[in-house]
Amino acid sequence: MTMSLPAILPSESDVESFWQAGLRFATGVSVITVGSGERVHGTTVSAFTVVSRCPALVSLCLRTSSGLAEFLIDHRHFAVNILSREQSRLARHFANPARGQGPDQFTGVAWTPGFDAGVPLLDRAVCWLWCQFRRVVPAGDHQLVLAGVTAAKTGTGAPLLYYAGRLHPGAIGEEVA
Ligand SMILES: Cc1cc2nc3c(=O)[nH]c(=O)nc-3n(C[C@H](O)[C@H](O)[C@H](O)COP(=O)(O)OP(=O)(O)OC[C@H]3O[C@@H](n4cnc5c(N)ncnc54)[C@H](O)[C@@H]3O)c2cc1C
């Protein structure tokens, strides 16, 4: 049985309050890279989540207008590059609609071809995951992408954080009591 969801928030200002509250959930920042050669693409995403340990599953949440989902469906495999605190420039670059298309987006970006398809892995990221597209689930004005993880490599360094709509340098120190 399918159920239609009610509009939960009554007014536009309530919707904005909800969105601003959601932005108080601090996340890391990743650049999704997909394809190679002339058909390569990269996009900044904060809505990345590890969903399941066994089987290894992750999710992305993308705007319905995002061109990235089409690339993921076409190529079936993609990399998640979790950015380090020194990579705020890359986070902004791969979110800029004027970054160009195909390999032009990677001009001046340090990367190494990785995993089995030569996908760009951004140098100096905190870690890299190699993911296999599974499905897209429509979710309001966004869409949830579910993917399996077939390989992972960890780097070093502290992560870049996204909180309240701004980028912040993560500082990883001693565990708090
Ligand atoms: C810190 C941060 C976190 C973010 N987190 C998220 C998030 O979690 N989810 C989210 O949805 N957005 C997020 N964004 C916004 C997102 O990064 C931008 O909106 C970005 O531009 C979306 O890129 P896209 O790949 O969807 O491509 P588009 O915005 O669709 O287009 C970008 C470029 O790719 C080209 N292009 C697009 N599709 C194709 C195609 N099929 N073939 C050839 N060229 C194509 C376009 O011409 C354009 O040049 C975040 C931004 C920031 C700064």
Side-chain angles (χ1 to χ4, degrees):
M1 186 176 75
T2 57
M3 282 194 317
S4 62
L5 295 172
I8 301 161
L9 295 167
S11 74
E12 203 37 57
S13 70
D14 291 331
V15 171
E16 185 55 25
S17 299
F18 151 66
W19 197 249
Q20 291 305 320
L23 288 173
R24 261 74 182 169
F25 181 62
T27 66
V29 184
S30 61
V31 172
I32 309 304
T33 49
V34 55
S36 60
E38 288 304 306
R39 297 207 58 237
V40 70
H41 190 68
T43 305
T44 301
V45 169
S46 57
F48 160 79
T49 309
V50 172
V51 174
S52 162
R53 178 184 168 106
C54 188
L57 295 172
V58 296
S59 71
L60 308 174
C61 189
L62 305 175
R63 279 185 272 213
T64 47
S65 58
S66 168
L68 176 62
E70 203 179 309
F71 278 94
L72 304 185
I73 292 165
D74 281 358
H75 289 268
R76 312 306 289 183
H77 284 86
F78 62 92
V80 179
N81 302 255
I82 309 284
L83 298 184
S84 69
R85 57 179 278 154
E86 288 83 24
Q87 294 181 306
S88 57
R89 187 184 69 81
L90 292 182
R92 293 196 175 91
H93 171 74
F94 284 104
N96 181 355
R99 65 189 178 280
Q101 296 189 6
D104 290 352
Q105 297 167 81
F106 292 85
T107 304
V109 173
W111 60 274
T112 308
F115 296 118
D116 51 357
V119 71
L121 299 185
L122 303 183
D123 293 358
R124 301 166 66 88
V126 169
C127 75
W128 304 266
L129 301 173
W130 186 228
C131 303
Q132 185 171 24
F133 171 85
R134 289 220 178 167
R135 73 175 71 129
V136 176
V137 179
D141 55 11
H142 279 63
Q143 51 197 331
L144 273 171
V145 174
L146 186 68
V149 178
T150 55
K153 297 199 287 187
T154 51
T156 56
L160 183 65
L161 300 180
Y162 188 55
Y163 176 75
R166 299 176 69 170
L167 297 168
H168 303 268
I172 304 304
E174 288 179 24
E175 188 178 5
V176 289

